Amino acid sequence: MKICLESYAKVNLFLEVLGERTDGYHEIETVMQSVSIRDRIDMEEKEEGIEVVAEGAGVPSGEENLAHRAATLLRREAGVRAGCSIRIRKGIPAAAGLGGGSGDAAAVLAGLHRLWRLDWPRERLAALGATIGSDVPFFLWGGAALCTGRGEIVEPLPSLSQRHRFLIVTPPFQVSTRFIYNELNRYALTRPKVWSKVKCVHGLGSDPECMLHRLWNRLEEVAFSARPSLREWADRMERLGCSRVLLSGSGPTLFGLLPRGERDEIGILSRFPDSRHASIAHPTTTGYRFMR
Ligand code: ATP
């Protein structure tokens, strides 16, 4: 049997860091939304072993791929004998703040759950996914969700309308997640928290549409001072009509909402030939999708 899926990317509409934990992780509060930038994943049963081949810049094949970890863990936990081969064609830029690796891991868990005819509740898959990466559980739901703890505690929210259009641009440089969090520990964690804002919005009707007017990411100030050219990229996007441009995760990807009725998508994308990736994406209601 063969299974084919698309796994989607995410953007963070809101991200506050509440503090550092004793286990080295940070306690965060974030609202994530899945978006239509996608990887394609093909899976096929084979007699034994897990094989992962990934096509895309900066993405390892084999055991280092998060999809491999997901498959190995599920196989062991579910006591499955059969193996499977997994082919990933990346459309989501790697190490970009778009959660591509976590999304692939979640899609592989969901795909193998079907391939191996398991009957696990989603919560059990999510608990397994959380051992692979903090964002994996989110992608098992997708749409919009408030994610707390180190990001692995998922509270689904109504998804943004699929009519919205985000301009999503990944500049051609890396921003190290570890560096950003270390810098944050140095000074920003002492600043007043805005987490009450999201709690407030959440309490006021759980509507991520309201959050579009309050986009906020605690990591942005640190990332912009580490990489001042991010400001120029954001300015370019704002000049094209994005009302507010925000860093996704620890970056370097930036995203902004395009005005309704904007039709010149090709013209807009042609303004970023020097980027690593530029696309116009819409919100999705799931983190992955089975294809026929
Ligand atoms: P986050 O926002 O969750 O920090 P990210 O979008 O910044 O994630 P990923 O795309 O998930 O980062 O990739 C992080 C690293 O994980 C990459 O540098 C890559 O080497 C490794 N990796 C392992 N498996 C995958 C995969 N399937 N897709 C992308 N990267 C992968």
Side-chain angles (χ1 to χ4, degrees), residues 43-81:
M43 293 192 275
E44 189 172 358
E45 264 174 320
K46 68 185 191 97
E47 274 188 19
E48 57 186 46
I50 305 287
E51 180 189 69
V52 176
V53 176
E55 296 166 17
V59 183
S61 289
E63 288 178 12
E64 278 175 50
N65 198 294
L66 293 179
H68 196 287
R69 280 191 63 197
T72 308
L73 275 176
L74 184 62
R75 185 166 175 251
R76 196 173 64 206
E77 286 294 308
V80 172
R81 288 245 177 116

Side-chain angles (χ1 to χ4, degrees), residues 10 12 32 39 41 52 54 57-68 88 90 92-105 133-136 139 174-175 177 181 248-253 276:
K10 57 83 179 164
N12 301 77
M32 298 204 264
D39 292 344
I41 304 180
V52 176
V59 183
S61 289
E63 288 178 12
E64 278 175 50
N65 198 294
L66 293 179
H68 196 287
I88 303 174
K90 296 292 294 182
I92 306 170
L98 292 170
S102 306
D104 290 349
S134 303
D135 291 346
V136 177
F139 284 104
Q174 300 284 329
V175 177
T177 304
Y181 273 102
S248 184
S250 55
T253 299
R276 175 146 66 102

Side-chain angles (χ1 to χ4, degrees), residues 65-235:
N65 198 294
L66 293 179
H68 196 287
R69 280 191 63 197
T72 308
L73 275 176
L74 184 62
R75 185 166 175 251
R76 196 173 64 206
E77 286 294 308
V80 172
R81 288 245 177 116
C84 94
S85 62
I86 301 171
R87 180 176 177 209
I88 303 174
R89 276 171 278 185
K90 296 292 294 182
I92 306 170
L98 292 170
S102 306
D104 290 349
V108 163
L109 289 178
L112 292 179
H113 182 266
R114 180 176 286 193
L115 193 69
W116 291 337
R117 297 182 184 84
L118 305 176
D119 190 19
W120 286 23
R122 187 155 40 177
E123 287 71 17
R124 188 169 172 205
L125 270 189
L128 189 71
T131 67
I132 302 164
S134 303
D135 291 346
V136 177
F138 164 74
F139 284 104
L140 289 170
W141 276 268
L146 172 62
C147 301
T148 53
R150 56 185 168 86
E152 87 286 15
I153 303 168
V154 180
E155 215 179 299
L157 298 172
S159 177
L160 287 176
S161 160
Q162 290 183 268
R163 291 209 299 266
H164 290 304
R165 290 291 173 270
F166 286 117
L167 172 60
I168 302 182
V169 176
T170 309
F173 47 77
Q174 300 284 329
V175 177
S176 150
T177 304
R178 182 172 298 177
F179 176 80
I180 297 293
Y181 273 102
N182 283 344
E183 285 295 290
L184 192 73
N185 290 342
R186 265 198 327 130
Y187 73 101
L189 279 183
T190 55
R191 307 214 173 159
K193 305 286 180 290
V194 295
W195 68 279
S196 57
K197 201 196 252 180
V198 70
K199 284 280 187 207
C200 179
V201 170
H202 185 56
L204 281 174
S206 311
D207 189 0
E209 296 285 342
C210 302
M211 243 164 249
L212 283 177
H213 309 291
R214 298 177 169 86
L215 295 174
W216 160 264
N217 182 346
R218 168 65 71 189
L219 304 178
E220 187 170 73
E221 192 184 341
V222 183
F224 276 44
S225 52
R227 281 283 182 185
S229 64
L230 275 169
R231 182 71 263 156
E232 290 155 32
W233 286 84
D235 287 345

